[in-house]
Amino acid sequence: MKRNQIVFIGLLLLSVNSLAQKIKKQVAAVPTEFAVPMTAEAWTFKPDKVEFITHKGVPTMKIAPNSEQVSLKNVTFENGTIEFDVEPQDPRFMGIYFRQKDANESEYVYLRVVQATTNPLAADAIQSAPYIKGVLLWDMMPQFQGPALVKVNEWNHIKLVVSGKQMRVYVNDMARPALHIPYLEADATSGSISLDGAAMVSRFVIKPGVVQDVPNGPGYDPTHTDPRYLRHWQMSAAIDLPPGQEAVSQSLPKDDIVWTAIDAERQGMVNITRQLGGSTKRRFVWLKTKITASTAHKALLRLGFSDEVWGFVNGQPVFVDKNLYRSSAGRKNPDGRCSIDNSSFVVPLKAGDNELLIGIANDFYGWGLVARLESLEDIKALE
């Protein structure tokens, strides 16, 4: 080998070694975890709504009532672990937003403090829901909740482990998650972190990329292999529906109406909110699908919905119902939220194709429906 070749190889090895050392230093510079200071410089908040004090011997952020969101500065969170200690001061709610793209899109986990501090079996002590188009879909996803006993006037340790589409949330008991979310529903996949609700907060730690054994792919959807769900629909444009007005035969959609395809998501839910956002006043759409029967018969349809529905089969009215959270008399089980347990009705089918048309109105948080036939006997096809 010639001398100049030896020199070139030596310089190349030195260059590769230097590059490797730089990469090693850069990797080492990325923190595996960092503690967020309980100081004003680390957070964004409304004036006079947050104090930084020493509470029970540790640096603490004291969030006042009606503080709105208190946001962490200069942090973009996607996957990893978030841990903190909290002593709630509000009997209603205390929550954390993460992957917060803006005020309209984020994931949200929150304690319902009265339930969490008084009943170890309360099924709604801790809840999780996405913000989609500015709407918190707590009323559309009743499965994302569980019991979580929170201590009064003591520190409670909260840990969120977020990995791709899945999340586990721990409250005091670090061996058993209070929530296991198989599919994070928000459209945002990374963003900031914020808190809300009157509380003492301390020992706030973020561990980027530390996800323990939580898988990053979607978890199991028990409805996925159930063919009874009506999954493929056509939706009309939304119109205003004045209070007290009902959908009747005279208001059925005309032939020139424009329809848009909308398919059910996980759990069989037709999520209108993801398409149209929420409603500041009463709004209405039509949803239609086709059921093909081999014989004329009556089929039972189970329906979850929010907030009001009117059902027509082949142009004939067959069903009206309301699921109004703000009315104790009109609030369906479970607690006014959209669930396949809300209601059911008989669908009179003729042999051949049948049009199922459902009008749905909303003026409160999320809207949509879940529809499932009780049996597919004598059913040839679902659109």
Side-chain angles (χ1 to χ4, degrees):
M1 184 178 293
K2 295 181 179 180
R3 183 175 183 276
N4 60 346
Q5 291 176 318
I6 295 172
V7 171
F8 173 76
I9 292 172
L11 291 173
L12 181 61
L13 289 173
L14 285 172
S15 177
V16 170
N17 182 63
S18 176
L19 179 61
Q21 292 299 318
K22 286 181 180 179
I23 293 173
K24 184 177 180 181
K25 288 179 180 179
Q26 289 173 352
V27 171
V30 177
T32 56
E33 69 174 71
F34 60 94
V36 177
M38 295 293 103
T39 62
E41 292 74 22
W43 301 84
T44 300
F45 49 88
K46 288 183 66 177
D48 303 320
K49 287 297 184 179
V50 176
E51 295 180 70
F52 296 91
I53 62 174
T54 297
H55 178 64
K56 296 181 178 176
V58 296
T60 298
M61 178 169 61
K62 181 181 180 181
I63 305 174
N66 304 314
S67 64
E68 298 184 4
Q69 293 184 24
V70 178
S71 301
L72 187 57
K73 292 181 180 178
N74 303 320
V75 169
T76 299
F77 179 84
E78 182 177 359
N79 295 310
T81 299
I82 304 170
E83 295 190 64
F84 60 97
D85 288 345
V86 63
E87 188 178 307
Q89 306 289 299
D90 189 320
R92 298 169 299 166
F93 301 99
M94 186 279 156
I96 178 170
Y97 303 80
F98 63 96
R99 291 181 173 176
Q100 188 173 35
K101 179 182 177 183
D102 51 36
N104 295 319
E105 305 288 337
S106 72
E107 299 286 356
Y108 185 47
V109 174
Y110 55 102
L111 297 171
R112 301 186 70 182
V113 178
V114 167
Q115 288 89 328
T117 54
T118 58
N119 184 358
L121 299 180
D124 56 354
I126 184 170
Q127 296 178 326
S128 175
Y131 267 92
I132 296 175
K133 289 185 168 57
V135 183
L136 180 64
L137 295 190
W138 65 273
D139 58 338
M140 301 302 295
M141 299 174 184
Q143 68 273 24
F144 293 168
Q145 64 179 20
L149 188 60
V150 170
K151 296 173 285 188
V152 178
N153 298 323
E154 294 184 46
W155 288 122
N156 296 273
H157 191 63
I158 311 292
K159 180 169 75 171
L160 286 70
V161 183
V162 181
S163 177
K165 297 305 295 184
Q166 296 199 46
M167 174 177 66
R168 292 176 190 166
V169 183
Y170 300 81
V171 180
N172 291 321
D173 183 353
M174 296 298 107
R176 180 178 180 180
L179 283 180
H180 185 176
I181 306 301
Y183 193 86
L184 291 163
E185 294 277 359
D187 292 326
T189 57
S190 69
S192 59
I193 296 171
S194 301
L195 303 172
D196 70 356
M200 302 286 190
V201 178
S202 188
R203 301 183 184 94
F204 201 103
V205 176
I206 301 175
K207 302 175 183 178
V210 178
V211 297
Q212 298 180 1
D213 59 346
V214 179
N216 63 7
Y220 178 62
D221 176 3
T223 73
H224 178 68
T225 56
D226 191 334
R228 297 174 299 164
Y229 283 85
L230 306 184
R231 301 182 184 276
H232 307 296
W233 298 77
Q234 299 288 316
M235 182 174 70
S236 72
I239 61 171
D240 293 341
L241 188 66
Q245 183 172 323
E246 300 287 318
V248 295
S249 298
Q250 290 76 12
S251 57
L252 292 178
K254 309 301 182 186
D255 291 340
D256 60 352
I257 193 172
V258 175
W259 296 95
T260 301
I262 181 171
D263 289 340
E265 301 178 2
R266 288 174 62 92
Q267 302 285 330
M269 184 176 70
V270 180
N271 190 348
I272 297 174
T273 312
R274 199 182 299 275
Q275 303 297 320
L276 302 180
S279 307
T280 56
K281 56 183 178 180
R282 195 167 179 242
R283 286 199 299 168
F284 176 92
V285 297
W286 288 109
L287 294 172
K288 72 172 181 177
T289 191
K290 184 170 68 177
I291 301 173
T292 304
S294 56
T295 63
H297 70 285
K298 294 181 178 179
L300 181 66
L301 184 76
R302 299 201 177 275
L303 189 70
F305 62 95
S306 182
D307 300 315
E308 305 171 73
V309 289
W310 297 262
F312 296 81
V313 177
N314 299 323
Q316 298 302 309
V318 294
F319 181 71
V320 177
D321 207 353
K322 303 181 187 298
N323 186 12
L324 304 174
Y325 180 83
R326 290 170 290 186
S327 167
S328 58
R331 187 184 301 177
K332 295 289 186 182
N333 182 56
D335 199 26
R337 306 172 80 184
C338 180
S339 165
I340 199 68
D341 297 323
N342 289 157
S343 194
S344 64
F345 65 96
V346 172
V347 180
L349 298 173
K350 63 182 181 180
D353 292 342
N354 298 266
E355 181 185 78
L356 173 62
L357 185 69
I358 294 181
I360 182 166
N362 167 263
D363 66 354
F364 184 74
Y365 286 91
W367 56 328
L369 59 79
V370 182
R372 187 189 72 200
L373 289 169
E374 184 69 7
S375 169
L376 295 181
E377 186 177 356
D378 294 325
I379 302 294
K380 292 178 64 178
L382 303 176
E383 186 175 274

